[in-house]
């Protein structure tokens, strides 16, 4: 066995899909060092020949067959990459023919149906959602939460901003966020600004020790970051969620993807971007 | 043929990979209306049984076999979904065995190697990059572009902000952005603040008509949005790119994914997030 395996993600488009699925697959193999190379926009015979040669050469240098994960829509370009000196997996090739049989239709073999800007409506929804998230970050304008698809609630540094931005960019969903601050605590019920949005609130919570650690990176030795204060804020925020019946999630051991897909599923929101 | 086909994206995790690849496949089939349903976190036998029943029922209601795209790591749960009443494609199943043979190793069949927070280092890189992008949006602190991996340059509304946020969230790359304004035009060379970052500048440009349209949504009937002014600003920005030899791209017909992967590839940056 060689010291490492080189993994190529190759596509006639961005290669992002090949990267994602290929990554999911290789992380199932522990104890092997993978060296990753992404080669996007391989959309001509000439580029494909160069890539094939590079893969061949890498295999010789590594002393081990490279893995190649690809997503080619055009058969002729895919065939150039499909060299015996590598373990080549094309994610389209494997599935498109059975799908054609199932749907009783030929596929269009057209590059760029996904991740292309041809769908202006989708593009605009996305940009609008990003601008919305930026304009409504940290409750700048709580008055017009009306147009939000969803409002994330939580104490400072509990993960609201990255989750809102992810929802905007990857789903085209308008997510506002409202920070719970000490002003909101110690009084019964929801903060007044949130009452009209009650049906679309989602609460984030976090383990106080982790919160303290995150805040300390920002403001070391502050009351803001102190473990006592973090415990107090988290307990108060959770009390609000429970009293108002707001669905909530602990972000401590969740990725942004997990938070986003949980929220989208919970509120039965439609993905506007693929 | 039925009026539509229902497509299920099912996973024991977020389902995002299944959505992406499944979407890429079905967009190859024109003229069929697909109804999409994502079912994430199907991680127990009980949940899987319910999903299988729902798929079965949907097929009866639709009068056409549903398509099911899944990414299950555990064989036993995958098998429950693999019903004859649907066209089921599991993206892991198809590739994991050949990979095991190629690598001479069994896969771990462990849920959650991707999109999990277990890699704190990756998580922190990502959050840091998001905070960086927010703090350096619209050149708020051009003085400390030092720590940027990349600096996007372009006129207002040319696509800098969404691209920076995408690079941060999806790649963990620190992208700052510097808006070119009329102050920067009409003088020779790069704006002074950008000189130390010259090697990591990437320029965005856009068709003036499209820019005018985007700006008009924000400030209708303004000089800012007028076609004459947009033409002037775009011409000046492009003159700066050419004079300084800055690589640049026209964003008009590019998706955010295309912009991001082009930039990452161009500067040979390493993806820090999967």
């Amino acid at each position: 066995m060689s010291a490492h395996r080189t993994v190529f993600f190759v596509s006639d488009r961005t290669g992002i899909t090949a990267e994602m699925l290929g990554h999911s697959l290789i992380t199932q193999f522990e104890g092997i060092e993978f060296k990753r190379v992404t080669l996007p926009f391989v959309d001509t015979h000439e580029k494909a020949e160069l890539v094939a040669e590079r893969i061949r050469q890498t295999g010789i240098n590594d002393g081990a067959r490279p893995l190649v994960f690809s997503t080619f829509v055009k058969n002729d370009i895919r065939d150039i990459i499909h060299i015996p000196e590598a373990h080549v997996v094309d994610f389209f090739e494997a599935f498109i023919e059975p799908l054609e049989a199932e749907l009783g239709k030929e596929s269009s073999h057209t590059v760029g149906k996904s991740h292309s800007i041809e769908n202006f409506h989708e593009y605009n929804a996305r940009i609008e959602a990003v601008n919305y998230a930026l304009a409504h970050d940290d409750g700048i304008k709580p008055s017009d939460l009306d147009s939000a698809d969803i409002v994330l609630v939580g104490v400072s540094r509990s993960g609201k901003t990255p989750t809102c931005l992810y929802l905007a960019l990857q789903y085209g969903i308008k997510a506002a966020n409202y920070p719970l601050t000490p002003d909101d605590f110690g009084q019964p019920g929801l903060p007044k600004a949130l009452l009209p949005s009650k049906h679309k609130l989602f609460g984030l919570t976090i383990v106080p020790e982790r919160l303290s650690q995150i805040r300390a990176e920002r403001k070391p030795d502050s009351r803001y970051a102190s473990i006592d204060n973090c415990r107090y804020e988290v307990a108060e925020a959770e009390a609000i969620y429970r009293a108002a019946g707001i669905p909530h999630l602990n972000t401590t051991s969740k990725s942004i993807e997990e938070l986003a897909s949980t929220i989208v599923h919970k509120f039965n929101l439609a993905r506007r971007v693929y």
Side-chain angles (χ1 to χ4, degrees), chain A:
Chain A
M1 294 287 296
S2 111
H4 73 261
R5 287 272 187 154
T6 303
V7 182
F8 289 93
F9 306 108
V10 196
S11 177
D12 43 18
R13 300 292 288 177
T14 64
I16 292 172
T17 304
E19 283 180 314
M20 278 186 70
L21 190 52
H23 175 77
S24 299
L25 286 168
I26 62 176
T27 49
Q28 291 293 312
F29 294 90
E30 283 157 11
I32 299 177
E33 191 200 332
F34 294 106
K35 216 179 124 191
R36 296 164 168 85
V37 180
T38 302
L39 302 173
F41 307 113
V42 181
D43 50 9
T44 64
H45 286 214
E46 293 67 31
K47 290 185 197 168
E49 297 284 3
L50 286 172
V51 167
E53 188 46 40
R54 178 165 170 185
I55 294 168
R56 235 178 244 119
Q57 204 51 54
T58 303
I60 294 168
N61 296 344
D62 287 356
R65 289 187 355 141
L67 309 182
V68 178
F69 298 106
S70 66
T71 50
F72 281 104
V73 170
K74 304 258 187 206
N75 295 339
D76 48 343
I77 296 184
R78 180 197 298 140
D79 290 346
I80 297 171
I81 307 290
H82 217 303
I83 55 172
E85 296 93 333
H87 180 84
V88 183
V89 167
D90 189 277
F91 295 132
F92 283 172
E93 186 181 28
F95 303 119
I96 206 85
E97 275 188 32
L99 258 183
E100 287 178 338
E102 172 68 27
L103 297 171
K105 224 175 152 67
E106 292 232 333
S107 70
S108 61
H109 289 282
T110 316
V111 170
K113 289 294 178 173
S114 60
H115 290 175
S116 98
I117 207 180
E118 68 174 29
N119 191 338
F120 270 102
H121 184 70
E122 177 174 317
Y123 183 76
N124 288 337
R126 189 175 200 182
I127 298 297
E128 211 185 301
V130 169
N131 290 336
Y132 186 88
L134 291 174
H136 297 81
D137 187 34
D138 268 351
I140 291 167
K141 297 179 198 158
S143 57
D144 58 355
L145 296 179
D146 287 4
S147 50
D149 294 310
I150 198 88
V151 181
L152 295 191
V153 182
V155 302
S156 167
R157 297 283 120 174
S158 56
K160 299 183 301 299
T161 297
T163 308
C164 284
L165 291 172
Y166 189 90
L167 284 167
L169 271 171
Q170 297 300 97
Y171 289 85
I173 286 173
K174 285 188 185 172
N177 88 58
Y178 182 94
L180 291 173
T181 67
D183 291 343
D184 299 311
F185 302 143
Q187 41 189 331
L190 276 176
K192 228 173 160 182
L194 293 179
L195 286 174
S197 308
K198 195 181 162 189
H199 60 288
K200 56 187 177 186
L201 299 181
F202 192 91
L204 301 185
T205 188
I206 183 170
V207 168
E209 286 71 19
R210 174 81 183 130
L211 182 63
S212 171
Q213 192 189 352
I214 295 169
R215 288 184 170 185
E217 277 170 32
R218 221 184 174 193
K219 295 189 185 169
D221 303 318
S222 62
R223 163 142 183 76
Y224 168 78
S226 73
I227 182 69
D228 283 352
N229 180 56
C230 289
R231 277 194 191 115
Y232 165 73
E233 288 193 28
V234 167
E236 290 288 324
E238 290 181 358
I240 288 176
Y241 304 154
R242 277 191 305 269
I246 299 173
H248 55 282
L249 206 62
N250 192 316
T251 67
T252 315
S253 56
K254 295 262 186 284
S255 69
I256 297 169
E257 280 82 1
E258 287 170 319
L259 293 171
S261 70
T262 301
I263 291 165
V264 168
H265 188 60
K266 183 109 200 162
F267 288 90
N268 206 11
L269 295 167
R271 183 187 267 276
R272 298 188 190 116
V273 171
Y274 276 92

